[in-house]
Amino acid sequence: MVRGFSSGRRGRLKRTLVPWLVPALLLAFWQVSSMLGWIPTRILPAPTAIALAGLQLARSGELWTHLSVSAARAGGGFLIGASLGLFFGVLNGLLRRAELLLDSSFQMLRNIPPLAMIPLVILWFGIGEEARVFLVSLGVFFPVYLNTFNGIRSIDPGLLEMGRVYGLSNWKIITDIVLPGAMPSILVGVRFSLGIAWIILIVGEQIAANSGIGYLAMNAREFMQTDIIVFSILLYALLGKFSDALARKLEFRLLPWHPNFQRLSKEFRARPALS
Amino acid sequence: MTHATPETGSHLHLDRLTKAYGAQTVLSGIELTIPSGHFTAIVGRSGCGKSTLLRLLSGLETSNGGDIRVGGTPLRGVNQQARIMFQDGRLLPWKTVLDNVGLGLRGDWRPRGLEVLRHVGLQERAHDWIARLSGGQRQRVALAKALITRPRLMLLDEPLGALDALTRIEMQSLIESLWLEQGFTTILVTHDVEEAVTLADRILVLEEGRIARDFANDLPRPRRRGDPGFAHLTARVLESILLRNRPSEAPPQASGVPDGHAREASADSGMAALSH
Ligand SMILES: Nc1ncnc2c1ncn2[C@@H]1O[C@H](COP(=O)(O)OP(=O)(O)O)[C@@H](O)[C@H]1O
Ligand SMILES: [Mg+2]
């Protein structure tokens, strides 16, 4: 183990502050450059201008409307896609016959980028909510499906055999061995697909929408409001970060037994994280 | 053998038991009778079919010929009287120690679960995750899990193979005391001949799908490694495995050299049962 910092309270303070050093310097440089006129506002407004634009959007209530619309789309699409992915992942993971019937079709569909479907989806659903929710579900489905399927297939066969010796019913084997065993992999799929959900939504909202953060950004472009555009971009980053944190929380909750997610004792906490 | 009563341990009779995987015959015509409550060890080279034999006895595999009688009735499906314990413990990491012990049980099993955990010396770890336990502690949990249903046949497939020498000796005396106390019939597969001599009444050498040698072990318990009788029997068993490992170099085995501590009989005659 490489020790970069001294331990104790000062070491901890350093560890929390040091990663922010470079972003803070960049931000300061950006602000000064804007104020000196080195960067034209039309290209990139000053950080303060962006913050101000955000504040105004929040005050007028516009921000919350668009935010909640986007969140509902991402959440709805995610729920539909993840439920279907989980269902078919479990089905195909457990039953060879179902796998034989469905898996190769899924593998073929998986190679179509969801965004390539946009023209077709608009023809099918118009530019209503269905189109965007459908695209998000489609993007979410495959990571959840694949990880669930692989998670189930990579369960130690010894554990399944043990379940049989100990007289567990098939249902008990599924609920007590198969699903918990596949859970770490399922959650990897969930975390990955949350990221995908936002990406698809951004594009979907920029192409055809009259509300949502993507719409906010595209609308601002028409009026050359660079500050709002940059603010929307930051908003997406924030939302992505937020949903990632949510997924991590879920991992801690659902995998309390997993060595990776156990509350580590102090001596191990200083170890650098792998993510 | 006064500790074992006929009601507590399974009586086993194997008749021309044969198992093949595809073209490969793993067990060919095993004849074996194991009286209730006996402790039998099976040794032999890796790949000679020891695990396969245990899996057949537990009902996890079906034979290609011959039959297994448990207390007189032919075995069909999973052997309800048997519990099998593996080298890797096969515990569920997402369940606590106590929940692993009670896996698949209904009703109010928790008090009994805590009791068997106390038996193996792990009561205070009942609510820990498996990941927090050492290898030896995990095997204790696996043992407790096997014990909770009061099995009549205990099948141990190299259960101590992954443990360090000290923990192994500790576990051996634990297994011995539990066996003496509860009287289940035990079959222990091991690659450690000393372990076999320490624990078993009888040591079978499995080779090429047959029982090649059958040693009785009458040494008084508890057995100590230093005893001359212990060392002698260990050497004899080892020798019989090693000699057969190099058939071209080895001279033909002399039949049954008399020995004060251990009798030896050729199992090929079909007279595998011992008259204790
Ligand atoms: N499920 C299986 N399918 C095919 N061959 C098997 C299977 N299980 C065991 N074997 C073969 O049977 C032989 C005996 O295996 P095993 O009983 O595990 O040996 P060991 O004495 O080391 O426990 C080995 O050659 C092994 O490759
Ligand atoms: Mg084996």
Side-chain angles (χ1 to χ4, degrees):
Chain A
M1 174 173 148
V2 181
R3 299 195 68 116
F5 295 106
S6 55
S7 46
R9 186 180 294 174
R10 277 188 51 199
R12 209 158 36 241
L13 199 66
K14 265 190 197 169
R15 270 196 298 277
T16 41
L17 288 185
V18 166
W20 292 100
L21 208 62
V22 174
L25 279 175
L26 278 177
L27 207 63
F29 178 72
W30 176 7
Q31 180 70 34
V32 171
S33 309
S34 297
M35 282 159 75
L36 294 177
W38 292 351
I39 308 174
T41 310
R42 204 174 56 81
I43 304 287
L44 197 63
T48 44
I50 295 168
L52 216 62
L55 208 65
Q56 270 167 4
L57 282 176
R59 280 232 185 92
S60 70
E62 245 181 302
L63 173 62
W64 313 118
T65 326
H66 292 301
L67 202 62
S68 57
V69 166
S70 286
R73 285 170 184 156
F78 174 80
L79 277 184
I80 295 172
S83 315
L84 287 174
L86 191 67
F87 174 78
F88 284 107
V90 170
L91 187 77
N92 291 1
L94 291 176
L95 303 177
R96 298 267 167 191
R97 264 187 234 173
E99 182 200 354
L100 195 67
L101 182 69
L102 297 171
D103 188 60
S104 54
S105 309
F106 286 153
Q107 297 296 342
M108 275 189 285
L109 289 176
R110 184 170 72 98
N111 290 315
I112 304 171
L115 295 178
M117 302 273 293
I118 286 179
L120 196 59
V121 167
I122 289 178
L123 280 182
W124 287 349
F125 298 108
I127 57 165
E129 290 309 315
E130 297 92 337
R132 281 176 292 272
V133 171
F134 176 82
L135 281 174
V136 171
S137 321
L138 198 66
V140 162
F141 174 82
F142 291 104
V144 174
Y145 166 75
L146 285 174
N147 282 284
T148 304
F149 180 80
N150 284 337
I152 288 179
R153 280 298 159 84
S154 56
I155 285 174
D156 177 5
L159 291 181
L160 299 174
E161 193 180 82
M162 183 275 300
R164 272 177 61 210
V165 191
Y166 281 79
L168 299 193
S169 62
N170 283 339
W171 177 246
K172 264 295 221 197
I173 286 183
I174 292 174
T175 58
D176 285 28
I177 301 180
V178 173
L179 286 182
M183 196 51 82
S185 178
I186 294 175
L187 289 178
V188 168
V190 164
R191 203 166 157 194
F192 189 73
S193 67
L194 274 173
I196 289 188
W198 284 116
I199 293 175
I200 292 180
L201 194 63
I202 296 167
V203 181
E205 285 183 340
Q206 289 184 355
I207 287 171
N210 45 29
S211 61
I213 301 164
Y215 165 78
L216 194 66
M218 282 322 268
N219 200 39
R221 186 195 56 117
E222 295 205 358
F223 301 98
M224 305 246 276
Q225 296 164 312
T226 334
D227 48 355
I228 295 186
I229 296 177
V230 177
F231 180 71
S232 315
I233 293 171
L234 290 179
L235 218 51
Y236 271 121
L238 221 63
L239 286 171
K241 187 86 195 136
F242 176 73
S243 52
D244 201 52
L246 216 65
R248 276 189 74 78
K249 240 201 163 79
L250 206 64
E251 283 179 336
F252 271 99
R253 252 200 110 93
L254 292 178
L255 308 173
W257 53 272
H258 202 285
N260 282 358
F261 301 108
Q262 271 172 17
R263 306 255 173 256
L264 298 174
S265 56
K266 267 195 199 115
E267 64 209 282
F268 291 126
R269 202 168 279 167
R271 209 165 48 180
L274 284 173
S275 62
Chain B
M1 297 294 141
T2 47
H3 55 267
T5 52
E7 297 82 46
T8 47
S10 302
H11 177 279
L12 297 176
H13 183 75
L14 280 58
D15 188 22
R16 278 165 296 154
L17 189 67
T18 298
K19 176 69 185 176
Y21 290 109
Q24 182 196 9
T25 304
V26 180
L27 299 175
S28 50
I30 301 257
E31 300 275 349
L32 181 65
T33 300
I34 295 180
S36 169
H38 264 227
F39 200 128
T40 306
I42 299 177
V43 295
R45 294 188 275 173
S46 148
C48 70
K50 305 182 295 292
S51 297
T52 304
L53 181 57
L54 288 199
R55 293 164 60 79
L56 283 168
L57 288 171
S58 68
L60 279 172
E61 301 268 1
T62 45
S63 64
N64 300 96
D67 62 9
I68 298 173
R69 286 172 180 274
V70 182
T73 30
L75 179 62
R76 297 262 176 281
V78 173
N79 187 344
Q80 304 291 346
Q81 302 188 355
R83 282 293 179 251
I84 186 164
M85 187 178 151
F86 302 93
Q87 180 171 338
D88 54 1
R90 307 217 172 155
L91 301 171
L92 302 177
W94 43 88
K95 286 187 178 284
T96 61
V97 167
L98 184 61
D99 284 336
N100 265 285
V101 170
L103 184 73
L105 297 183
R106 281 160 215 264
D108 192 20
W109 54 267
R110 276 164 194 274
R112 166 112 180 110
L114 288 170
E115 192 199 315
V116 289
L117 278 175
R118 190 175 51 75
H119 255 77
V120 301
L122 276 181
Q123 195 179 22
E124 68 282 7
R125 308 300 298 269
H127 303 292
D128 279 357
W129 297 116
I130 298 300
R132 287 293 173 88
L133 303 183
S134 71
Q137 289 169 331
R138 286 178 204 193
Q139 288 306 69
R140 282 166 193 266
V141 176
L143 204 54
K145 179 169 150 214
L147 287 172
I148 192 172
T149 51
R150 296 195 173 87
R152 298 175 61 187
L153 174 61
M154 188 69 95
L155 304 169
L156 305 171
D157 193 352
E158 305 194 14
L160 313 182
L163 305 182
D164 62 272
L166 277 178
T167 312
R168 202 182 303 172
I169 290 171
E170 254 173 47
M171 286 293 285
Q172 284 167 6
S173 52
L174 177 65
I175 289 173
E176 184 176 45
S177 67
L178 288 168
W179 169 71
L180 285 170
E181 181 188 306
Q182 310 202 0
F184 39 74
T185 305
T186 305
I187 302 180
L188 167 72
V189 164
T190 178
H191 54 243
D192 179 353
V193 174
E194 288 199 332
E195 182 170 292
V197 175
T198 306
L199 292 174
D201 299 324
R202 179 184 182 189
I203 300 160
L204 305 174
V205 178
L206 202 62
E207 184 163 313
E208 285 165 3
R210 297 175 169 278
I211 295 168
R213 288 301 195 85
D214 186 342
F215 296 90
N217 181 3
D218 300 331
L219 296 170
R221 294 173 192 270
R223 294 165 181 160
R224 279 190 307 266
R225 269 145 224 263
D227 287 349
F230 188 105
H232 190 77
L233 182 57
T234 306
R236 294 183 60 78
V237 176
L238 260 177
E239 196 183 350
S240 78
I241 303 171
L242 292 176
L243 279 178
R244 281 163 192 266
N245 246 341
R246 295 173 278 125
S248 51
E249 296 166 38
Q253 187 77 28
S255 59
V257 183
D259 180 344
H261 294 281
R263 283 180 293 114
E264 179 190 339
S266 171
D268 297 331
S269 62
M271 295 293 292
L274 290 176
S275 49
H276 270 273

